[in-house]
Each structure stands twice: as structure tokens, then as C-alpha cells.
Amino acid sequence: MRTRTATAGEEAMQALSESLSEIRERAAAHEHSGDWNAAMEAFERLFQRGVEERDPFTVAGALRGSARVRRRLECFEEAEEIAELSFEIAQRNGLKGAAAQAVNGLAAIYHVQQDWTRAAQLYAKALDLALDAGDDSTVGHASQNLGIIANIQGRLPEARARYLESIASSVRSGDKVSAMTAYNNLGIVCTDLQEWMEAELYFNRGIEVAEQVGDSGLLAMLHANRAKPLIHVGEFAKARLVLAAAYTAAACIGDRGTLAEVEVSRATIARLHGDFAAAETHLQRAITLATEGDLEREHALALEGIAQLRWDQGRQVEALAQLGRACEIFHFVGSERDAARAEALLTGWKAEEAE
């Protein structure tokens, strides 16, 4: 039996028959799956329909989506122009919430380019606009993004306050994805502040939300991060179980970054128990995973772990060299929080060597 393919005219008629909500759903589905070309075409179609129907809300939203896709494709100049146009259209038509979302999207473009100063300025502007619009969802996103930058730059109390604000706004808006991300980030800050019980509390809450949403990627990350305060307080059996859960979730989706962090944490437990051979094995696995995934930060975390192992083995010269290299990589990738931790350890070791 022969099948007939649709003609160009029929495809055009089909496109015209789609409602705005159907085009939005199609664009969102393509964006979520990472099919950037299909997503771009869908957002362009949404833009055209918005113009045809003289719907500025739809036009502004379509432009935001198109800017996000171009940001993902690293077409940063185009993304900036489109995001700015989305803001202008929203502002001109009195769409305060859409204007706030456009500025937040513009900030994200600078964020991924590690222009922290410009990104923070725009996130702060987005936050002000969102507060004026009563847009709790965007308040949550902008607050969390400001927290991320403060965290990267080592301003932990500020990061903590921003994450708490983000959680409150995300709960009000019902944005579970934003809330669980903020719980994870807040747990990381509390870990860095050595507030172990509070850190575990936030990680646990994030895990509960991630399980409700079914987000395997963030669930794996939350489990991996939860193990760190448990290790610090000596709850090794519990930490091993948590790391096993993290490994299982990460392996299901091929998340090399989280798998590498699991191996580093397993190495820490082995080292603290004096099992240097097992620690070495876990750290070499972490190096392999980081190398395969071209993951600079995770590579540096593994080098930091190797440095700690060499120090405990009495191989101080190697330890200092490995930790120095880890510090360089942390700075290179813009992870100032990690760099500050590693440099504090390096300073302590050098002082100990000088005695």
C-alpha cells in the first residue's frame, strides 16, 4: 500500500491550524529535549503567529525562547540582541513580568560567559522588576542566580540569604524545580560554612522535592552533595549509602560529573580509614570520568583529593604540586569558592612545612 507524504502547502495549512498554546508546547518540548534547531524553528513560528495576531505577550515570550536557544548554541551576540528586543517589547506594552523574565534571560547570557559583574547587575535589575510585577517565579530565579554568583565569588553569607529568598519565592509560585535547585545550593553553602546538620537538612528537603518531580539529574547531585556533611561528622556508613544512591541515579543518565564527585567522596572515606590503595583507585576513576567528559572542575576536585592522599602518605612535595594545580584550575573555571578552600589548605600545609 502506498503512503502519501504531505505537500508543502498542506504542511503550511497544518502549521496555521496550530493554536498558540500548541506551538508553545512544541517549542518547550524541543527545548527540553535539546533539539535546538527544532526549538528555534518552533519559537520563530510562535513569534510569527504572535505578530500576526498582534499579541505582544506571545511575541516577547517567543523572543525569550529564541534567545535561550541561541545561548545554548553559544551564539551569544545574537542571543543578547534578541533578549534585549524581548525586553523592549515587553516594557513598551506594560508587560512587567515578561520584562523581568527578559532581563533575567539576558543576565544568563553574561553568566555563562563568566562575566559575573554584568550578570549580577542584570539579575538585580530582573529582581527589582519581578518584585514590582509580583512575579514570584522570576523573583525566585533571579534571587537564586544572584546567590550562585555570590557563592562562586566566595561571599557565602550573601549567597545563603539569596537562596533562602529564592526558596520562599519558589514555594509561593509552586516552582518545584527552582526550589529543589535552591535547596541544593543552600546545602552547599552550609557545607562550606561547616554547618553540617543544617546542610544535611537542606539536601534532604531537596531530595524530597526531586523525588516528587522525578528529576534524576538533580537527585543524583543532591545525594552526592549530602554525603559531604555526613563524611565530615563521621557518619561513614550513612554516607556510603547516600553515595550508592547518587551513583545509581547518575549512572542511569550518564552524568559523569556527579559520578566523578562520588568517586572523590568515596576516596575521602577510604583515606580517612587508612585504606590508601582504595582511595587511589577511586581518585583515578574520578580523573578518568572528568577527562572523558572534559570536566575541568571535577578534574580539579580529583587533584585536590590526590593531594590530600599524598599528604597523608607523607609525600609532601607531590601533595603541594597537585594542590597548586587544582587551585589553578579552580581559578580558570571561575570557581572561586573551591579555589578559596584549596588555597586555605595549601597555605596551611606550607606553614606546616616551614615549621
Side-chain angles (χ1 to χ4, degrees), residues 160 187 189-200 202 229:
R160 183 181 188 173
V189 168
C190 290
T191 298
D192 289 341
L193 291 170
Q194 299 186 7
E195 296 174 354
W196 313 121
M197 292 181 65
E198 190 172 351
E200 190 190 2
Y202 290 129

Side-chain angles (χ1 to χ4, degrees), residues 239-288:
R240 288 189 183 98
L241 291 173
V242 169
L243 288 170
Y247 191 92
T248 299
C252 286
I253 58 173
D255 181 354
R256 286 190 176 92
T258 299
L259 290 172
E261 291 206 38
V262 167
E263 294 295 352
V264 171
S265 292
R266 285 173 168 169
T268 300
I269 295 172
R271 176 176 58 81
L272 292 173
H273 282 83
D275 190 347
F276 294 162
E280 185 80 42
T281 297
H282 288 304
L283 289 166
Q284 291 306 320
R285 287 175 184 165
I287 291 287
T288 299

Side-chain angles (χ1 to χ4, degrees), residues 74-204:
E74 298 186 359
C75 300
F76 297 125
E77 289 187 10
E78 289 181 34
E80 289 169 26
E81 291 177 4
I82 294 170
E84 287 170 355
L85 179 59
S86 176
F87 170 69
E88 290 173 10
I89 290 171
Q91 189 178 48
R92 192 181 307 136
N93 288 276
L95 302 171
K96 293 182 179 180
Q101 292 165 30
V103 175
N104 191 67
L106 181 60
I109 297 166
Y110 288 97
H111 190 148
V112 298
Q113 297 177 83
Q114 297 185 13
D115 185 343
W116 310 127
T117 300
R118 184 58 177 150
Q121 290 171 346
L122 288 166
Y123 283 137
K125 180 178 179 179
L127 178 59
D128 288 341
L129 289 167
L131 286 168
D132 185 48
D135 182 350
D136 282 325
S137 179
T138 305
V139 168
H141 292 152
S143 297
Q144 183 159 191
N145 289 327
L146 285 166
I148 289 169
I149 292 176
N151 197 356
I152 289 170
Q153 296 181 328
R155 303 192 309 276
L156 301 186
E158 179 186 341
R160 183 181 188 173
R162 293 293 190 184
Y163 291 146
L164 285 168
E165 182 179 3
S166 176
I167 289 170
S169 298
S170 299
V171 169
R172 287 196 298 270
S173 68
D175 188 342
K176 290 186 177 182
V177 173
S178 180
M180 66 182 174
T181 305
Y183 278 122
N184 179 65
N185 291 334
L186 188 54
I188 291 172
V189 168
C190 290
T191 298
D192 289 341
L193 291 170
Q194 299 186 7
E195 296 174 354
W196 313 121
M197 292 181 65
E198 190 172 351
E200 190 190 2
L201 174 67
Y202 290 129
F203 287 135
N204 276 333

Side-chain angles (χ1 to χ4, degrees), residues 274-342:
D275 190 347
F276 294 162
E280 185 80 42
T281 297
H282 288 304
L283 289 166
Q284 291 306 320
R285 287 175 184 165
I287 291 287
T288 299
L289 286 162
T291 302
E292 289 175 348
D294 195 23
L295 305 168
E296 292 285 355
R297 178 177 174 270
E298 286 74 11
H299 189 193
L301 289 172
L303 290 177
E304 183 181 2
I306 290 172
Q308 291 173 321
L309 177 60
R310 297 290 178 264
W311 186 265
D312 286 359
Q313 289 172 322
R315 297 158 63 178
Q316 281 80 7
V317 174
E318 290 179 57
L320 291 169
Q322 295 281 16
L323 190 56
R325 178 59 182 145
C327 290
E328 291 174 3
I329 296 173
F330 285 139
H331 281 302
F332 177 74
V333 299
S335 185
E336 298 306 319
R337 175 179 59 86
D338 289 319
R341 181 193 63 249

Side-chain angles (χ1 to χ4, degrees), residues 1-5:
M1 180 176 176
R2 296 177 62 187
T3 58
R4 188 178 69 86
T5 58

Side-chain angles (χ1 to χ4, degrees), residues 46-57:
L46 185 63
F47 172 79
Q48 292 168 359
R49 283 288 299 277
V51 171
E52 290 167 5
E53 299 188 16
R54 299 188 178 184
D55 181 348
F57 179 82

